Amino acid sequence: MPRSEIPRSERDTELRRMLVATASAAPVPTRRRWSIVAPIAAFALAGALTGAVSAVALNAPEKHKPVTVDNMVAALVYDDTQLFGEPVVINGQGNTVEPLGAVPDGAVELAVAFRCADPGRFEFLVDGKAATTIICDEASTGSAGSGSYFTVDDAPAHTLTVSAGEGKRYVVWASWAARAVPLEPSPQQAAAMADGEVTDAEYYAQFDRYSGCMTAAGYPLGSVNKSGTDITYVKSNDSVTSGAEGRCYAQEFVQVDMMWQGAHQDNSETDRALR
């Protein structure tokens, strides 16, 4: 999968989250706390939407099903996200410099999705400054790729540069966006975190509250297994794209879940799989 050069702690948190929340039959993009965003790796871009082009995906290798721009966007943009203006799509290879304008009214960040059509190293620069690097292997070319949301400065205009090896192909999609403000932790989750540690009872109780929230939203969790150190379960793709999973996870479980996993990282099946 694509690999982004981001801090190890963020990557470990996302990968552990992915392993605990087992993917369902329809691939489920992990909620980004960015992240690696599930197979999505974080990268920073900036700019406004000008010069939009046709959203035609590059041909994937024959052993993979074709990946469209819609696939890329579905892994990044959830139903509780507002988009502004006409998205820009770049089908490029080698080095591309894209002039971009100012941030439109109402937008607060830039949603950007990336897919490599060839394996290689892809450098991203914003306003001429290095933003991040994504390294793709052969398997990455058949996936929906990478993506993230980023704020930008108040400069009147921006440029985005993608630098890749000669002939290395890629697709970049970008749209100005405004995501829903994450919910604050519930009083029960805040209380569980108050003393700086999570007990077994608090971990299981908050998972049950998270599960109950998902059921109430119409997306009950499946295949729940509480026999190991970490609770494992299946969440549906629709629960993620609707925004319901992110709201329930933020409100009832995220802080407890991350603290629990951090405290048990040496003996859980999840951590062994992560390593």
Side-chain angles (χ1 to χ4, degrees):
M1 302 304 299
R3 178 166 60 85
S4 176
E5 295 177 356
I6 57 179
R8 179 180 175 82
S9 61
E10 295 182 15
R11 179 179 301 281
D12 287 353
T13 295
E14 265 322 296
L15 287 176
R16 190 172 287 111
R17 167 87 171 108
M18 291 160 54
L19 288 162
V20 171
T22 308
S24 64
V28 177
T30 299
R31 298 299 297 192
R32 54 206 149 297
R33 331 283 181 201
W34 238 2
S35 93
I36 187 168
V37 125
I40 300 174
F43 61 98
L45 300 175
L49 300 179
T50 57
V53 299
S54 176
V56 179
L58 297 174
N59 293 327
E62 289 184 0
K63 64 180 180 180
H64 299 301
K65 293 181 179 180
V67 178
T68 68
V69 172
D70 285 345
N71 298 146
M72 295 166 56
V73 176
L76 176 68
V77 178
Y78 301 159
D79 290 349
D80 54 1
T81 298
Q82 291 181 286
L83 299 181
F84 297 80
E86 183 72 18
V88 60
V89 179
I90 303 169
N91 284 305
Q93 64 180 37
N95 298 334
T96 298
V97 179
E98 183 74 12
L100 302 168
V103 181
D105 292 340
V108 296
E109 55 193 345
L110 185 66
V112 182
F114 167 80
R115 183 176 78 87
C116 50
D118 295 303
R121 184 183 182 93
F122 300 85
E123 307 280 352
F124 293 83
L125 298 88
V126 176
D127 298 336
K129 298 179 181 179
T132 196
T133 299
I134 293 179
I135 299 174
C136 290
D137 59 16
E138 185 66 37
S140 304
T141 62
S143 74
S146 313
S148 191
Y149 292 80
F150 289 94
T151 57
V152 297
D153 59 29
D154 58 358
H158 304 272
T159 61
L160 165 65
T161 301
V162 183
S163 179
E166 183 176 357
K168 299 296 184 181
R169 302 170 300 155
Y170 48 84
V171 180
V172 175
W173 173 95
S175 176
W176 287 102
R179 287 178 293 172
V181 177
L183 295 177
E184 292 295 322
S186 66
Q188 292 83 358
Q189 184 175 195
M193 297 292 295
D195 61 359
E197 62 180 8
V198 173
T199 66
D200 290 21
E202 289 169 335
Y203 175 63
Y204 285 101
Q206 285 310 126
F207 174 80
D208 288 343
R209 292 185 63 83
Y210 164 59
S211 179
C213 178
M214 292 290 286
T215 299
Y219 303 101
L221 300 174
S223 302
V224 176
N225 185 345
K226 298 183 178 181
S227 64
T229 303
D230 295 330
I231 301 171
T232 61
Y233 53 91
V234 172
K235 54 183 179 170
S236 69
N237 185 67
D238 287 346
S239 75
V240 176
T241 57
S242 69
E245 191 277 335
R247 290 189 291 271
C248 288
Y249 188 66
Q251 188 171 30
E252 301 296 353
F253 199 42
V254 59
Q255 294 183 7
V256 165
D257 191 22
M258 292 301 102
M259 180 171 284
W260 173 271
Q261 291 178 33
H264 296 82
Q265 62 182 357
D266 294 329
N267 56 14
S268 70
E269 293 183 5
T270 297
D271 194 70
R272 288 195 293 273
L274 174 60
R275 289 197 298 269

